[in-house]
Amino acid sequence: MDPTRPIGIFDSGIGGLSVLRHIREQLPAEDLFYVSDSGHLPYGAKGSDFVAQRAQQITRFLIAQGAKTIVIACNTATAAAVASLRQQHVLPIIGMEPGLKPGIAASRNGVVGILATEGTLGSAKFRDLLRRHGEGARVIIRPCHGWVRQVESTDLSGPRALKVVAEEIQPLIDQGVDSLVLGCTHFPFLHQTIRQVVPAKTHIIDTGPAVAKELKRRLAEQGLLRRSTEGEVRCWCSGEIAQTQYQVERLWRPGCPVLPLPAK
Ligand code: DGL
């Protein structure tokens, strides 16, 4: 396969940009094609069949744009669709899951909080993760209602953001959590606000850098790394273009055009 082809990345909204920024940092020569499925957000409250169907459609679109690999920059869509996508497509498909293992490794008292969507926390994939790696720790899960919408609003640190974050985090602090896993790609955008609310010793785990590292490893292994250019970023969305354009400018950078995602 031609290594100059782009990397396809998608999420329900702009949360996946928190992963894209690490990919960009670690792989600056790559073209990154990003889809925000903003017309169908939030995935976390939809059933897994619906999310899997969206993931299939977006993956087909990205492959039609020439993608050499797909990054599911969404924990919820990974839980719902990574297995079927890998069965149907031969190109590398990189998924995400909450960083339970690093979360437990970082904890001193063994009390770990997992922040993710209902869809992720209720999935068979997450139950399996807990069974394999949750042993010996007290794992407290928390579907952070309202955080995805808060990030989509691009108010990441104002009084409302602080209130929404504190409401979800306080019960975890009360239970002694000293390690917090951000198991939804929207949540790293709230990192600084979370920091304001938790005790200073609390570890906050974001799996974005590890996903970018794994992507780099997989591309290198298959001879698909692109070199010696400066890659571009292109975006598509299934919702309102002007809104996504604004979000991308605020959470990524200006000058990145957003195009409509074809309905079929
Ligand atoms: N950003 C997504 C995740 O990592 C899901 C957000 C949503 O649409 O509920 O799970």
Side-chain angles (χ1 to χ4, degrees):
M1 199 193 289
D2 176 5
T4 65
R5 287 160 71 157
I7 294 169
I9 305 169
F10 73 92
D11 179 40
S12 61
I14 37 87
L17 293 175
S18 74
V19 183
L20 179 141
R21 62 187 178 187
H22 293 292
I23 296 175
R24 183 71 172 159
E25 213 174 277
Q26 294 191 37
L27 295 163
E30 302 287 343
D31 286 341
L32 307 180
F33 285 10
Y34 184 86
V35 173
S36 162
D37 196 12
S38 51
H40 301 94
L41 177 119
Y43 280 176
K46 312 263 163 74
S48 62
D49 287 352
F50 177 83
V51 175
Q53 186 203 320
R54 292 304 304 156
Q56 299 285 0
Q57 191 177 323
I58 294 166
T59 298
R60 281 198 298 272
F61 169 77
L62 288 167
I63 291 173
Q65 304 309 306
K68 61 183 172 184
T69 185
I70 301 292
V71 178
I72 311 174
C74 175
N75 294 262
T76 313
T78 300
V82 71
S84 58
L85 289 178
R86 283 183 180 146
Q87 261 171 22
Q88 285 164 26
H89 302 283
V90 289
L91 79 179
I93 296 189
I94 313 290
M96 308 199 51
E97 63 186 13
L100 178 64
K101 249 173 100 173
I104 293 176
S107 173
R108 263 166 272 133
N109 65 5
V111 190
V112 177
I114 310 281
L115 314 175
T117 67
E118 279 168 299
T120 298
L121 296 173
S123 68
K125 199 162 184 306
F126 182 70
R127 277 197 297 279
D128 184 50
L129 181 72
L130 267 184
R131 205 170 33 243
R132 284 184 291 121
H133 299 296
E135 193 102 321
R138 187 166 159 237
V139 178
I140 304 172
I141 60 171
R142 186 111 193 146
C144 294
H145 298 291
W147 284 24
V148 170
R149 292 272 180 214
Q150 191 61 40
V151 171
E152 291 286 323
S153 79
T154 73
D155 167 13
L156 308 177
S157 57
R160 162 130 191 105
L162 192 61
K163 181 172 177 281
V164 166
V165 166
E167 273 168 10
E168 296 292 342
I169 295 280
Q170 195 54 49
L172 297 176
I173 299 173
D174 294 345
Q175 290 176 82
V177 161
D178 76 344
S179 177
L180 273 179
V181 175
L182 306 182
C184 168
T185 54
H186 280 76
F187 300 171
F189 284 115
L190 294 169
H191 192 285
Q192 281 173 21
T193 304
I194 297 169
R195 258 285 154 241
Q196 281 183 51
V197 174
V198 297
K201 61 174 177 38
T202 310
H203 295 274
I204 301 176
I205 312 291
D206 170 14
T207 45
V211 169
K213 196 171 159 200
E214 171 63 6
L215 171 65
K216 190 173 179 180
R217 190 191 68 77
R218 292 285 297 277
L219 291 177
E221 188 181 79
Q222 307 212 4
L224 287 177
L225 276 179
R226 186 182 192 192
R227 295 175 204 280
S228 68
T229 54
E230 164 141 12
E232 61 160 332
V233 176
R234 281 190 217 172
C235 295
W236 287 263
C237 79
S238 56
E240 217 187 289
I241 302 283
Q243 190 199 6
T244 303
Q245 184 75 59
Y246 175 76
Q247 292 170 318
V248 169
E249 278 176 21
R250 296 213 45 183
L251 300 187
W252 170 237
R253 55 182 68 156
C256 171
V258 177
L259 301 166
L261 182 73
K264 278 252 176 271

